[in-house]
Amino acid sequence: MKNIDTYTHVRGESLYVDDIITRHDTLYGVVFDASKAHAVITSIDYSKAEALNGVVKIFTHQDIPGENQIGGIIADEPLFAEKEVHFWGQPIALIVAETELIARKARKLIEIAYEELPVIVTAREAKEKASLISPPRTFKMGDADRAFAACDFVYEGETFSNGQEHLYLESQGCYAFPLENGAIKIFSSTQGPTAVQRTTAKVLGVPMHKIEVEVIRLGGGFGGKEDQATPWSVMAGLAVHHLKKPVKFILNRHDDLRMTGKRHPYESSYKIGLNKDLKIVAYEAEFLQNAGAAADLSTAVAERTLFHATNSYFVPNVMATVYSCKTNLPPNTAFRGFGGPQGMFVIESAIAHAAREMQVRRDEIQQANLLNENDEFPYGQIARQVIARPSWTTAKEKFNFEKLREGVVDFNHKNDHFKKGISMMPICFGISFTNTPMNHARALVHIYQDGSVGVSTAAVEMGQGVNTKMLQVAQEVLGISANKVKLETTNTTRVANTSPSAASSTADLNGKAVEMACKSLKSRLSAVAASLLKVDITAISFHGDSVYVNGEKSGTSWEKVVSQAMLERVALSENAHYATPEIHFDKSKEKGHPFAYHVYGTAITTVTIDCIRGTYEVEEVKMAHDFGASMNMAVDVGQVEGGLAQGIGWMTMEEISYNKEGRLLSNALSTYKVPDIFSAPKKIETVAVATDGHEHAIKKSKAVGEPPLMYAIGTYFAIQEAVKSFNPNYHLKYDAPFTPEKVLMALYEK
Ligand code: MTE
Ligand code: HPA
Ligand code: MOS
């Protein structure tokens, strides 16, 4: 089935926040933000800005009736800075004016003076100064210290992986307007409508029922709108609360880039111990996460780094520690993979290091250590229905890895100025919010009296195709055609207390709820149909908008049964709640069973580098992916290819840069390069590994949103292989992204 948004997307008719028709008296907001990364505010003079014709009001922390606090996990982040600023771009005030242009002009008229304080930009510096968001955490299995002592080979090293800008096409924004009795409705571009509702209520000091949040769809989120869509909506809510007029507020690209957090940069170190048979016996890693100036989701991201520290390998002795380091950068946040990619990059680096020293191929070490059935993860979960080896073997065989590799070797023999590199990259990603209590969702399904159906869930459509999947579930369970089902907007008054659409779990959690609600409705309608047709209820089923009796099509339509149900006063609405079974995690022991299941896969990547220029092309990426029993291959392959391209950007060209003063230098698309059609792989091939799927996945169709991003880690190591074949003296570095500048330096390093 085609993505149900295709038609309106192509015609430019899909609605986003900026498309909502504004009321005639709408006002516009612009944020006034800090122009120092760490400083005491010694004075602010708003008088010139306030005097500008068309400026309505400038809101600061002094206008907050409730709490000046937006921290989600830890209460450490004010909505508006008070006496001190902690990052460049930190909001200080919201200027509300008759037009956005006036508000922008007013921003330039605000006079502010600072007394500067020392700025911390890197995680290492923060750790040295004991500037931490929370105490470090350690996952431990076996006895790494003892095991290292007995290993044939032990290697140590350091890695760096940089941050990444989400670059959702639709920047952060919202439109808020007053309802009656102090209630406020906010249209927000958020992955987390409940977070927006809860935080707005807290800042305004009103009950949550006064705040209604509605999401139509997002022009991309990628994690950047899980937590960080909230402050803008809260600010707009604050302005509406005081002014009783609608306020619209969309960050322009510059403001968005400067004020919002990104993927966390990580400075890490590793120690890996192997035996002659290539088995990894012990692994130790220390991750320094650059969290920025407030916690945001950093502690949860850090936790997922530990969960994925050993990727898809079984290592009997593990010790992995993560520090969330507090720096003076914008608070870094969720980004596709949620700390997992950062953890996996480190063990892949350690394997590359070991392979080089032991004079074996990387893929030989990888293959020797892949997870097997009943292996234990360092966090205590036992690996079941493991697809690590099947995906590896499928990739090797279907794509003829040995022949591809020989082709690369042959090419490198024949060419001096161009070199090729090839890599294998297995992935293993845990599905569920790592915070167990977040794994739930609800669905509200109405069958209208004409037989058409409306479905509301907590799922936010952000391009990943979740609404299409929800429609498929409803349609299949009820046995009706697709055009009878409509996916409603995501609204806190219809589906409440929701977790954000994140962790790749949206389709599973909300889909299971839709399935439950539709099954209840179907059993009620089956009873109606059975009495109508005077047969036993067990004989009834629904297919293709018709009632079937013992598998035979009856003359009775779906519509007829629905209207009969109306006459009999049978409820045609259902609300269902789903909570993932089995999962649990004990943080005091750092052990448990946090994931409903894991998604596996293996990618083969080939690159060609130009050894004169240092530039390179990703020739092809071939992936054997564990879709389970995909319910929509078109949507899922889109996710695989999109995630891959986004990961390649992170690993190769996207270079976030802050200067020593904490100012973002890569603050425009002229200084921050993301993959375009020319830098995407020339060829992408995806095959499905033959698997049964998993019963906790919706219709056994496994989660697909985040895992494919991590295939792109293979690109880094393919480039490294190519560099090595040109310059045997190249000393391997693990410093992502591997930009052309770094490639050029490596090619000619002595
Ligand atoms: N795909 C598109 N087109 N746009 C997005 O914003 N977000 C990614 C992924 N794929 C995203 C996307 C992230 S970070 C997650 S967690 C999942 O989609 C969320 O959706 P899901 O839970 O339905 O997979
Ligand atoms: N993944 C993504 N988002 C999250 C998670 C997670 O595990 N936990 C909280 N938010
Ligand atoms: Mo995705 S990083 O869990 O929004």
Side-chain angles (χ1 to χ4, degrees):
M1 179 179 188
K2 244 195 274 180
N3 186 318
I4 56 172
D5 280 347
T6 314
Y7 184 77
T8 55
H9 276 2
V10 170
R11 291 168 62 93
E13 291 171 359
S14 297
L15 299 179
Y16 300 84
V17 170
D18 204 23
D19 298 310
I20 296 164
I21 293 170
T22 48
R23 239 168 69 171
H24 67 285
D25 55 347
T26 295
L27 301 170
Y28 296 83
V30 166
V31 178
F32 171 65
D33 61 305
S35 48
K36 294 287 172 220
H38 193 196
V40 176
I41 301 172
T42 50
S43 70
I44 309 186
D45 183 356
Y46 293 108
S47 59
K48 286 191 187 127
E50 281 167 341
L52 186 70
N53 201 11
V55 171
V56 177
K57 186 165 165 57
I58 299 178
F59 294 94
T60 70
H61 68 93
Q62 287 168 324
D63 300 297
I64 291 175
E67 282 177 64
N68 182 21
Q69 184 50 250
I70 59 167
I73 301 178
I74 300 175
D76 68 347
E77 190 177 357
L79 178 69
F80 291 127
E82 298 189 8
K83 292 193 183 71
E84 271 190 25
V85 296
H86 293 269
F87 64 93
W88 199 302
Q90 182 173 359
I92 298 171
L94 179 74
I95 306 155
V96 177
E98 284 163 11
T99 69
E100 187 185 332
L101 200 66
I102 295 171
R104 289 196 176 280
K105 277 190 184 152
R107 179 159 76 175
K108 292 196 184 127
L109 299 174
I110 297 172
E111 289 167 6
I112 185 163
Y114 300 98
E115 192 180 294
E116 291 187 44
L117 297 168
V119 173
I120 302 178
V121 179
T122 67
R124 187 165 302 282
E125 199 186 337
K127 191 193 167 214
E128 278 159 12
K129 294 187 173 156
S131 171
L132 298 179
I133 294 283
S134 58
R137 282 178 69 181
T138 299
F139 281 13
K140 215 176 144 180
M141 182 164 74
D143 185 342
D145 276 343
R146 262 221 339 248
F148 278 122
C151 284
D152 296 331
F153 307 98
V154 177
Y155 307 104
E156 289 181 66
E158 294 188 349
T159 73
F160 176 73
S161 63
N162 206 339
Q164 185 178 21
E165 165 57 38
H166 301 87
L167 214 82
Y168 23 65
L169 281 181
E170 180 201 28
S171 56
Q172 303 276 5
C174 57
Y175 180 40
F177 56 89
L179 303 172
E180 55 192 20
N181 296 317
I184 296 171
K185 178 163 180 172
I186 306 175
F187 285 92
S188 174
S189 179
T190 181
Q191 292 173 242
T194 292
V196 170
Q197 181 195 20
R198 186 180 55 233
T199 314
T200 306
K202 177 173 169 175
V203 171
L204 298 189
V206 301
M208 279 172 77
H209 69 220
K210 292 279 190 196
I211 310 295
E212 173 183 349
V213 178
E214 169 133 337
V215 183
I216 306 171
R217 65 162 63 68
L218 314 188
F222 307 110
K225 296 172 182 171
E226 183 176 336
D227 240 32
Q228 299 213 355
T230 300
W232 329 110
S233 287
V234 177
M235 288 176 203
L238 177 70
V240 172
H241 177 83
H242 286 289
L243 301 173
K244 309 279 181 264
K245 281 191 173 177
V247 173
K248 183 169 167 175
F249 174 23
I250 294 179
L251 301 190
N252 74 8
R253 186 60 67 181
H254 267 112
D255 285 357
D256 188 304
L257 291 174
R258 185 175 67 254
M259 295 180 199
T260 64
K262 308 174 192 319
R263 183 188 294 285
H264 296 78
Y266 272 61
E267 289 162 85
S268 311
S269 53
Y270 61 81
K271 183 172 174 185
I272 190 168
L274 306 91
N275 279 343
K276 289 198 190 89
D277 62 0
L278 305 185
K279 289 272 188 212
I280 304 171
V281 183
Y283 179 65
E284 214 175 273
E286 186 180 88
F287 303 102
L288 306 189
Q289 177 200 54
N290 190 331
D296 191 275
L297 293 164
S298 294
T299 52
V301 171
E303 180 179 57
R304 199 177 264 279
T305 300
L306 296 183
F307 282 119
H308 295 90
T310 50
N311 190 12
S312 56
Y313 309 111
F314 172 68
V315 184
N317 301 286
V318 177
M319 171 120 120
T321 301
V322 67
Y323 292 84
S324 285
C325 303
K326 187 169 176 171
T327 62
N328 296 110
L329 300 185
N332 286 315
T333 194
F335 196 135
R336 207 169 195 169
F338 206 76
Q342 290 96 320
M344 291 186 193
F345 179 68
V346 179
I347 190 154
E348 293 301 327
S349 297
I351 290 172
H353 183 168
R356 168 96 181 203
E357 298 292 333
M358 293 164 72
Q359 300 189 357
V360 297
R361 297 200 318 260
R362 250 180 93 250
D363 59 276
E364 294 177 286
I365 299 183
Q366 291 173 312
Q367 181 169 319
N369 292 282
L370 291 170
L371 279 161
N372 290 312
E373 200 66 14
N374 299 324
D375 279 343
E376 186 177 344
F377 287 102
Y379 45 91
Q381 185 159 345
I382 303 300
R384 307 259 194 239
Q385 291 175 254
V386 181
I387 321 286
R389 280 183 197 279
S391 81
W392 179 272
T393 310
T394 305
K396 269 187 106 164
E397 285 170 6
K398 279 242 161 83
F399 303 129
N400 205 342
F401 175 68
E402 290 309 325
K403 197 164 154 233
L404 290 173
R405 204 178 57 75
E406 282 161 24
V408 167
V409 173
D410 187 50
F411 179 94
N412 289 346
H413 272 302
K414 290 186 183 142
N415 290 278
D416 290 335
H417 296 315
F418 289 91
K419 294 288 180 191
K420 283 189 191 289
I422 188 167
S423 73
M424 300 273 298
M425 178 66 204
I427 61 157
C428 167
F429 196 78
I431 301 303
S432 286
F433 286 95
T434 57
N435 181 26
T436 303
M438 291 174 77
N439 293 284
H440 59 81
R442 279 153 302 290
L444 176 64
V445 180
H446 298 314
I447 301 176
Y448 294 100
Q449 52 194 284
D450 66 351
S452 66
V453 172
V455 176
S456 292
T457 71
V460 169
E461 177 59 58
M462 52 187 130
Q464 87 279 41
V466 70
N467 278 353
T468 305
K469 291 185 178 178
M470 296 305 96
L471 184 146
Q472 285 180 274
V473 173
Q475 179 212 343
E476 285 173 34
V477 176
L478 297 175
I480 55 178
S481 48
N483 61 17
K484 284 204 163 43
V485 184
K486 174 174 175 251
L487 258 290
E488 305 292 356
T489 58
T490 314
N491 184 300
T492 53
T493 67
R494 273 179 269 118
V495 180
N497 305 320
T498 61
S499 290
S501 286
S504 304
S505 303
T506 317
D508 283 356
L509 297 173
N510 294 278
K512 292 276 188 179
V514 171
E515 191 175 42
M516 288 165 73
C518 290
K519 279 183 175 165
S520 303
L521 288 164
K522 186 170 74 174
S523 68
R524 258 178 251 156
L525 289 178
S526 297
V528 173
S531 74
L532 196 65
L533 297 172
K534 302 194 172 47
V535 297
D536 193 73
I537 188 168
T538 54
I540 299 288
S541 59
F542 296 91
H543 302 284
D545 302 325
S546 289
V547 180
Y548 281 64
V549 177
N550 291 321
E552 297 280 324
K553 189 170 176 175
S554 75
T556 302
S557 67
W558 163 262
E559 283 86 349
K560 169 75 188 153
V561 179
V562 171
S563 58
Q564 183 64 27
M566 277 296 289
L567 291 176
E568 292 176 18
R569 296 180 292 168
V570 170
L572 289 175
S573 295
E574 184 68 17
N575 176 37
H577 171 89
Y578 175 77
T580 313
E582 272 181 67
I583 53 172
H584 56 88
F585 194 71
D586 181 350
K587 281 194 185 181
S588 70
K589 299 193 176 74
E590 304 288 27
K591 296 282 180 198
H593 185 104
F595 298 118
Y597 58 90
H598 291 82
V599 170
Y600 298 85
T602 300
I604 301 175
T605 303
T606 319
V607 303
T608 307
I609 59 174
D610 176 332
C611 301
I612 309 251
R613 296 180 180 84
T615 53
Y616 47 77
E617 286 186 36
V618 182
E619 297 291 339
E620 47 185 30
V621 181
K622 294 167 179 275
M623 292 160 284
H625 186 76
D626 164 28
F627 294 97
S630 172
M631 59 188 291
N632 193 318
M633 256 329 223
V635 164
D636 286 354
V637 169
Q639 285 294 293
V640 170
E641 295 183 354
L644 172 75
Q646 199 162 35
I648 289 177
W650 173 55
M651 280 284 107
T652 64
M653 66 181 74
E654 297 187 35
E655 199 163 33
I656 300 271
S657 174
Y658 290 94
N659 69 8
K660 285 198 185 73
E661 286 79 48
R663 185 165 75 88
L664 181 68
L665 301 178
S666 50
N667 66 350
L669 294 185
S670 52
T671 47
Y672 186 76
K673 179 85 183 93
V674 293
D676 54 20
I677 194 68
F678 302 105
S679 40
K682 284 200 262 181
K683 193 170 164 199
I684 301 181
E685 211 177 319
T686 310
V687 298
V689 184
T691 71
D692 300 334
H694 197 283
E695 60 174 323
H696 296 337
I698 180 63
K699 295 196 155 291
K700 301 202 165 186
S701 177
K702 283 184 154 186
V704 70
E706 293 167 287
L709 182 131
M710 283 150 271
Y711 290 133
I713 294 172
T715 314
Y716 187 95
F717 296 97
I719 294 173
Q720 196 172 62
E721 290 289 313
V723 171
K724 243 176 20 184
S725 73
F726 180 81
N727 178 8
N729 295 322
Y730 162 58
H731 180 80
L732 302 195
K733 283 175 208 61
Y734 313 99
D735 178 18
F738 215 154
T739 58
E741 290 91 332
K742 288 185 199 161
V743 170
L744 193 64
M745 298 298 280
L747 286 168
Y748 294 98
E749 169 183 297
K750 294 261 157 52

